[in-house]
Amino acid sequence: MSAVVCVLKTRCFLRQLLPGLPAAMHRSYSLDVSAPLLRTQGYVDGRWISAASVFPVLDPATGQEIVRVSDCGPAEAKQAVDAAYKAFHSWKQYTAKERSVLLRKWFELLLLHKDELAQLITFECGKPMRESLGEISYSASFLEWFSEEARRVYGDIVPSPAKDRKLLLLKQPVGVASIITPWNFPSAMITRKVGAALAAGCTVVVKPAEDTPLSALALAELAEQAGIPAGVFNVVPCSRESTPSVGRVLCTDPLVAKISFTGSTATGKVLLKMAADTVKKVSMELGGHAPFIVFDSADLDKAVGGAMASKFRNSDVRVLEPVSAMDAELRLGHGSEPDTTQGPLINARAAEKVLHQISDAVSRGAKVVKGGKRLDGSFMEPTLLADVTADMLCTKEETFGPLVPVIRFNTEEEALAVANATSVGLAGYFYSQDVRQIWRVAEALELGIVGVNEGLVSTPEATFGGVKESGLGREGSKYGIDEYLEVKYVCFGGLKP
């Protein structure tokens, strides 16, 4: 999510938001993960498979190669789809309780290996270890939640208008689901989708982001250890160059019944067009802009903490300490260092995008209040821009970097107009202690998720998804499993009254 901040009390808010920043660290780091969890091959039909070539996975903090992973192509993707289709016919026959038990075992294994799984996230994604550990807990929570939801897929008996028939509505799994996930939550984005799919009785083929395949492959190893049958959970890692051809198989193969994608709106539109030819069921979590509004009545200290948590999280700036301690607590460096609170961006392209947005904003009259510089590799200084206007790129494009553009407003109506003046609507946040205003603004924001006086809102019990061009469908909650189910109407006639 990019960070558009609408704020009345600008000067006071800015002073509190900007901590000091120590220099980045320079040294060598090694990944310490046991062999069973550090997998480098694709996982298809319960077997680890090699491809004709490999691609490197890099540590975004150092640019050094971690390992090389099998570069799966269309042939491996088709093999995975076929395996998933074959497995579906047996997996859907498992009782809900049997599926629940296996998902529960998978959940327990994630918690058992949380330290190693967190290391994988830190080294391939760049997050500080404490944030990576948080993601593993979050990731595991979806397997726990959907292990429970598996036993609560209820149909309906509908009162019949005729005495000689009964009307039944049955919920059944849709079939094979293609799961295409991003780099920013390389474990949790998979379990949030796959937990629901497997609980419903579907089988899956996962294509992880090219930057972060190791977490997906570790999940496959643990799924196998949990007893998930061969073909039910498949992973086809591939390079950036192979992604279009693999994606085409996963989105056009007639054996695939469902596509679940998290990523950019532009890519989502391409996948939707591919899915249209065979009219596949589709759910998508796409781009957002995440307005963060601070009203006059807000508790500024809490608003600052919420801004740091929600706005810098996916660029790996995460400071939740008291505002007065931010200068002392913020540390830029490799995520494996225990005192690091800010890691790198995912790659050099991400850093270049942030720089481009900063340059565009400055050229249009914005002022760099803090930061603004690119450091070594893909590290960026946390940057705050003042005097931002709605015509700047940073208010139109997703950023995924430590950039906070601040727009001043004078009225509630003006703040809502700025927040809603986009084609996307995923999540947003606002701070106010006026109860009447809270209800008005929460209902008026054109978003799928609203945080009121809270910057971290995601939980498996609640829905996650957007409106407008931010996507289709919902993940998590009791509604998330519906994305992998069809409702079948059965009219049971010939019954004598």
Side-chain angles (χ1 to χ4, degrees), residues 6-20:
C6 307
V7 58
L8 269 173
K9 300 179 179 176
T10 307
R11 291 181 182 175
C12 182
F13 187 74
L14 299 193
R15 280 200 304 272
Q16 296 183 71
L17 187 60
L18 295 169

Side-chain angles (χ1 to χ4, degrees), residues 65-140:
E65 183 178 304
I66 304 171
V67 292
R68 296 195 170 204
V69 172
S70 292
D71 190 3
C72 294
E76 289 79 15
K78 175 58 177 171
Q79 184 182 348
V81 169
D82 291 345
Y85 184 75
K86 179 182 177 183
F88 170 65
H89 294 289
S90 58
W91 180 245
K92 69 179 180 179
Q93 300 299 330
Y94 278 53
T95 66
K97 182 175 181 179
E98 288 171 332
R99 294 196 296 270
S100 174
V101 168
L102 291 173
L103 284 170
R104 181 78 191 187
K105 288 180 180 177
W106 198 9
F107 154 73
E108 292 169 350
L109 285 169
L110 260 67
L111 295 185
L112 181 64
H113 295 280
K114 63 181 185 298
D115 292 333
E116 290 178 295
L117 295 172
Q119 275 199 61
L120 289 174
I121 292 176
T122 289
F123 273 81
E124 67 176 348
C125 181
K127 292 182 181 181
M129 270 296 292
R130 65 175 178 177
E131 190 166 330
S132 296
L133 285 166
E135 179 176 344
I136 294 304
S137 296
Y138 182 53
S139 178

Side-chain angles (χ1 to χ4, degrees), residues 18-94:
L18 295 169
L21 182 63
M25 301 173 182
H26 299 279
R27 48 167 291 193
S28 296
Y29 299 88
S30 59
L31 177 64
D32 182 20
V33 173
S34 59
L37 289 182
L38 184 57
R39 292 287 187 173
T40 60
Q41 296 171 292
Y43 184 71
V44 174
D45 202 17
R47 296 180 295 108
W48 295 99
I49 65 166
S50 297
S53 60
V54 294
F55 67 99
V57 178
L58 306 179
D59 180 344
T62 64
Q64 296 176 349
E65 183 178 304
I66 304 171
V67 292
R68 296 195 170 204
V69 172
S70 292
D71 190 3
C72 294
E76 289 79 15
K78 175 58 177 171
Q79 184 182 348
V81 169
D82 291 345
Y85 184 75
K86 179 182 177 183
F88 170 65
H89 294 289
S90 58
W91 180 245
K92 69 179 180 179
Q93 300 299 330
Y94 278 53

Side-chain angles (χ1 to χ4, degrees), residues 94 126 131 149 168 176 191 218 244 251 264 274 289 298 336 355 484:
Y94 278 53
E131 190 166 330
E149 287 299 290
L168 310 176
V176 176
T191 59
C251 293
S264 72
M274 291 184 186
H289 239 335
S336 64
L355 279 176
Y484 298 90

Side-chain angles (χ1 to χ4, degrees), residues 86-243:
K86 179 182 177 183
F88 170 65
H89 294 289
S90 58
W91 180 245
K92 69 179 180 179
Q93 300 299 330
Y94 278 53
T95 66
K97 182 175 181 179
E98 288 171 332
R99 294 196 296 270
S100 174
V101 168
L102 291 173
L103 284 170
R104 181 78 191 187
K105 288 180 180 177
W106 198 9
F107 154 73
E108 292 169 350
L109 285 169
L110 260 67
L111 295 185
L112 181 64
H113 295 280
K114 63 181 185 298
D115 292 333
E116 290 178 295
L117 295 172
Q119 275 199 61
L120 289 174
I121 292 176
T122 289
F123 273 81
E124 67 176 348
C125 181
K127 292 182 181 181
M129 270 296 292
R130 65 175 178 177
E131 190 166 330
S132 296
L133 285 166
E135 179 176 344
I136 294 304
S137 296
Y138 182 53
S139 178
S141 73
F142 287 108
L143 297 181
E144 180 185 35
W145 173 260
F146 285 113
S147 74
E148 297 162 349
E149 287 299 290
R151 302 181 69 179
R152 291 193 281 266
V153 177
Y154 304 142
D156 295 293
I157 299 176
V158 180
S160 173
K163 295 180 180 180
D164 65 342
R165 64 192 65 182
K166 298 292 183 183
L167 310 183
L168 310 176
L169 300 181
L170 309 180
K171 289 186 178 181
Q172 297 181 313
V174 298
V176 176
S178 292
I179 308 295
I180 303 173
T181 57
W183 57 264
N184 58 325
F185 284 89
S187 181
M189 292 298 95
I190 293 174
T191 59
R192 190 162 72 187
K193 299 171 187 293
V194 171
L198 268 58
C202 295
T203 56
V204 301
V205 179
V206 177
K207 193 211 84 64
E210 63 272 12
D211 292 301
T212 56
L214 302 181
S215 292
L217 296 171
L219 286 174
E221 169 63 29
L222 294 180
E224 185 176 90
Q225 292 183 24
I228 304 293
V232 172
F233 182 75
N234 306 276
V235 181
V236 284
C238 64
S239 65
R240 184 178 181 87
E241 293 73 23
S242 299
T243 290

